[in-house]
């Protein structure tokens, strides 16, 4: 261990740690879950610190500083250290528990300390010396407060994950289902409403409906980025921008936008941006709607694949692993189940984020931001990962059971619907009931009773005519 000092006195820190006293105190104070902040948030903080340093450099604030101005070499070291944090090189140096101070101050200072000490090391200086050329607060945190930078990093992390991970997964899933829908346009099957037999459709039409759900989910995921494009950075402590250059927020937002390719902008009103996390609530509500869609799609596919002998078994899913420790030969729809569990987790996360967004925001600060960050990032990561696996290991290898689909149509009592225009609802219903009681098909009952001439009956009970709009 080594001994360092902060404004509260001596602190014991692991000998080779890059972090400093404030991080060490937070580690002691918050041994709650054993889970640090998400790595994506660490990387976003590193990106933000680099953009902040670049903005301060362009504004000439490092050289004008009355307290320990930085040389060009020192600024370059700071920029490189921030870039290394953004690249994930120092993830292990962020040990503070997610359930910490509600503003995220401990993690902000964790980043400030790691970047400052790493920059000193890059300069060939002793990062453990009492006096170091780069200071965590005066230089790395220049023009910033946790209150504006921590939520900024959350916005950047969530939007980047949506753009880089979730959107490609959803697009691939939708594309896979569209291809299946086209391939199965000739597979006639029975429809189901209320889990009961309904009029026919093709398997292609059914799967095409699921594909359209995913296309719309993709659009909602895209829309989830818009509410978090405004960045609070520049508002500092309460939104007034105290100790920050008037152009600082805009320059940082421009730098982050350039780096990520996402059109981030400085917040229009920093008092709103500091105080409330409504943008993240709105963003996550759209992510939750994506989860609802994926839950529905996975569950429908699971039902359609039920069997193989005592269920619908209209879809055949890839065999991935034995499904039972006691029933030999059993295979289960495991990828559907995995995605469904992820979706329910995201739906639950939405309740957490909604509560933290509403209850946590008082006056000039939301004090539940770390848990907001955790659940928002977790939701996007889980959906992206599970959707990609669902596509690759389930949807792409999924096949149609053409024979089961065909059999279900002819024996369905819903075929009587085609008789309505010719016989009326009540007579058609009586035929359906008799077919059910006798075990015969609707066609067989009609032929026995000679309710229509054979040619007209053939037209009335043509399942292909039932799936097309009437002229």
């Amino acid at each position: 261990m080594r001994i360092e000092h902060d404004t509260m006195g001596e602190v014991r820190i692991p000998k080779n740690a890059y972090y400093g006293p404030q991080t060490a105190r937070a580690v002691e104070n918050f041994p709650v879950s054993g889970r640090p902040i998400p790595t994506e948030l660490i990387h976003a903080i590193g990106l933000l610190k680099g953009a902040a340093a670049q903005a301060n450099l362009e504004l000439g604030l490092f050289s004008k500083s009355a307290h320990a101005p930085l040389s060009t070499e020192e600024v370059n070291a700071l920029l490189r250290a921030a870039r290394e944090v953004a690249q994930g090189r120092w993830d292990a140096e962020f040990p503070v528990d997610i359930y910490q101070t509600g503003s995220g101050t401990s993690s902000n200072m964790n980043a400030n300390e790691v970047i400052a000490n790493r920059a000193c090391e890059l300069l060939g200086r002793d990062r453990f010396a009492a006096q170091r050329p780069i200071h965590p607060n005066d230089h790395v945190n220049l023009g910033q407060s946790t209150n504006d930078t921590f939520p900024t990093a959350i916005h950047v992390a969530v939007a980047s994950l949506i753009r880089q991970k979730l959107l490609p997964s959803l697009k691939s899933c939708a594309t896979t289902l569209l291809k299946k829908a086209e391939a199965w346009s000739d597979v006639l099957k029975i429809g189901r409403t209320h889990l009961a037999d309904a009029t026919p459709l093709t398997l292609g039409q059914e799967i095409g409906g699921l594909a359209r759900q995913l296309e719309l989910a993709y659009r909602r995921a895209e829309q989830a980025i818009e509410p978090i494009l405004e960045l609070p950075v520049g508002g500092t402590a309460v939104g007034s921008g105290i100790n920050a250059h008037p152009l600082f927020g805009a320059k940082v937002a421009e730098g982050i936008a350039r780096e990520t390719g996402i059109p981030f902008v400085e917040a229009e009103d920093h008092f709103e941006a500091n105080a409330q996390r409504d943008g993240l609530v709105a963003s996550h509500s759209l992510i939750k709607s994506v989860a609802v869609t994926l839950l529905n799609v996975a569950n429908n596919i699971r039902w359609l694949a039920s069997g193989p002998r005592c269920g619908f078994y209209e879809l055949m899913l890839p065999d991935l692993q034995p499904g039972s420790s006691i029933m030999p030969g059993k295979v289960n729809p495991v990828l559907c189940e995995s995605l469904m569990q992820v979706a329910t987790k995201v739906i639950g996360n939405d309740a957490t984020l909604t509560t933290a967004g509403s209850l946590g925001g008082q006056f000039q600060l939301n004090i539940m931001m770390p848990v907001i960050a955790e659940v928002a990032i977790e939701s996007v990561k889980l959906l992206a990962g599970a959707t990609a696996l669902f596509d690759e290991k389930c949807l792409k290898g999924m096949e149609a059971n053409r024979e089961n689909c065909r059999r279900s149509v002819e024996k369905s009592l819903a075929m009587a619907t085609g008789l309505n225009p010719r016989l009326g609802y009540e007579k058609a219903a009586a035929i359906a009931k008799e077919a059910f009681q006798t075990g015969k098909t609707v066609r067989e009952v009609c032929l026995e009773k000679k309710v229509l001439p054979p040619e007209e009956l053939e037209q009335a009970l043509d399942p292909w005519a039932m799936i097309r709009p009437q002229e």
Side-chain angles (χ1 to χ4, degrees):
M1 302 294 284
R2 71 179 194 266
I3 303 295
E4 289 199 20
H5 296 77
D6 63 7
T7 58
M8 297 180 69
E10 289 188 349
V11 185
R12 292 171 60 83
I13 305 171
K15 183 178 180 181
N16 293 315
Y18 280 81
Y19 57 79
Q22 291 205 39
T23 303
R25 288 190 189 280
V27 170
E28 279 188 22
N29 289 336
F30 305 111
V32 181
S33 68
R35 299 197 306 274
I37 64 172
T39 55
E40 292 80 8
L41 184 57
I42 296 171
H43 304 161
I45 293 173
L47 177 63
L48 166 63
K49 294 296 178 181
Q54 184 64 40
N56 283 322
L57 174 64
E58 292 174 9
L59 293 167
L61 299 179
F62 286 130
S63 60
K64 293 177 183 177
S65 173
H67 176 73
L70 297 184
S71 67
T72 301
E73 183 186 14
E74 289 167 338
V75 174
N76 286 337
L78 195 165
L79 286 166
R80 179 176 165 187
R83 187 161 54 249
E84 289 180 355
V85 170
Q87 292 167 346
R89 182 168 175 180
W90 303 108
D91 291 353
E93 294 293 326
F94 287 78
V96 181
D97 200 277
I98 192 73
Y99 296 102
Q100 54 174 281
T101 174
S103 61
T105 299
S106 298
S107 288
N108 181 42
M109 281 308 303
N110 191 166
N112 292 335
E113 290 173 341
V114 169
I115 291 169
N117 287 337
R118 173 57 180 159
C120 289
E121 185 176 59
L122 290 170
L123 291 166
R125 304 287 290 273
D126 182 3
R127 61 186 174 93
F128 302 134
Q131 297 297 323
R132 282 160 261 180
I134 298 179
H135 193 278
N137 298 79
D138 296 333
H139 299 129
V140 185
N141 203 61
L142 181 62
Q144 305 154 60
S145 163
T146 300
N147 300 355
D148 65 336
T149 57
F150 197 75
T152 293
I154 301 173
H155 284 211
V156 172
V158 173
S160 297
L161 275 171
I162 293 171
R163 172 75 69 87
Q164 296 167 9
K165 301 292 185 181
L166 182 56
L167 290 177
S169 295
L170 289 171
K171 185 173 185 178
S172 182
C173 261
T175 300
T176 299
L177 287 180
L178 280 172
K179 290 178 180 177
K180 298 289 184 182
E182 291 170 5
W184 299 338
S185 61
D186 62 337
V187 180
L188 198 67
K189 58 157 287 178
I190 202 65
R192 295 182 184 89
T193 58
H194 303 269
L195 291 182
D197 297 353
T199 55
L201 74 165
T202 68
L203 185 59
Q205 288 172 323
E206 186 166 39
I207 298 302
L210 300 183
R212 179 59 178 161
Q213 281 186 265
L214 289 174
E215 287 178 335
L216 293 171
Y218 178 93
R219 188 180 301 175
R220 293 183 190 108
E222 271 191 318
Q223 292 168 347
I225 295 176
E226 195 276 333
I228 51 179
L229 289 177
E230 287 195 15
L231 301 182
V233 64
T236 64
V238 298
S240 65
I242 187 172
N243 292 346
H245 190 284
L247 298 178
F248 177 76
K251 279 190 168 292
V252 174
E254 288 169 11
I256 294 173
R258 227 176 8 251
E259 192 72 26
T260 61
I262 299 171
F264 292 111
V265 294
E266 181 184 12
E268 184 172 322
D269 185 311
H270 280 288
F271 296 98
E272 181 279 330
N274 267 39
Q276 302 300 335
R277 302 276 60 84
D278 294 346
L280 280 160
V281 172
S283 175
H284 197 274
S285 70
L286 287 163
I287 296 303
K288 179 197 71 174
S289 75
V290 172
V292 170
T293 295
L294 289 169
L295 179 58
N296 179 265
V297 169
N299 199 30
N300 270 280
I301 288 173
R302 184 178 71 100
W303 272 100
L304 291 173
S306 62
R309 294 197 172 175
C310 301
F312 298 136
Y313 203 47
E314 293 172 351
L315 290 177
M316 299 179 290
L317 305 184
D319 290 350
L320 296 176
Q321 62 185 58
S324 173
S325 61
I326 190 173
M327 293 175 278
K330 193 172 189 294
V331 180
N332 297 330
V334 291
L335 266 298
C336 295
E337 294 167 1
S338 174
L339 181 55
M340 290 168 69
Q341 291 177 81
V342 162
T344 59
K345 173 65 174 170
V346 172
I347 292 167
N349 279 354
D350 194 64
T352 298
L353 198 148
T354 301
T355 304
S358 57
L359 184 61
Q362 297 101 33
F363 307 116
Q364 282 72 57
L365 180 67
N366 182 293
I367 48 77
M368 300 179 75
M369 286 194 286
V371 73
I372 287 175
E374 182 186 45
V375 297
I377 290 170
E378 179 185 51
S379 290
V380 180
K381 283 178 65 178
L382 285 175
L383 285 179
T387 303
L389 285 172
F390 184 61
D391 179 39
E392 189 63 34
K393 295 193 173 187
C394 180
L395 297 185
K396 287 182 178 176
M398 182 170 68
E399 297 294 340
N401 188 333
R402 292 172 176 267
E403 182 56 27
N404 266 18
C405 289
R406 184 194 64 77
R407 278 200 301 261
S408 68
V409 175
E410 185 62 24
K411 68 182 182 182
S412 172
L413 302 180
M415 290 289 285
T417 306
L419 301 172
N420 285 358
R422 294 169 173 84
L423 302 180
Y425 182 91
E426 290 188 8
K427 287 184 179 179
I431 290 171
K433 288 179 181 179
E434 183 175 337
F436 178 68
Q437 290 165 356
T438 61
K440 297 175 181 177
T441 66
V442 168
R443 190 185 304 276
E444 288 169 340
V445 172
C446 288
L447 288 170
E448 287 177 4
K449 291 183 172 293
K450 300 181 179 179
V451 296
L452 289 170
E455 298 81 5
E456 191 174 350
L457 180 64
E458 187 67 23
Q459 292 176 352
L461 298 183
D462 178 8
W464 287 102
M466 297 181 188
I467 70 171
R468 301 185 184 98
Q470 299 298 311
E471 295 183 359

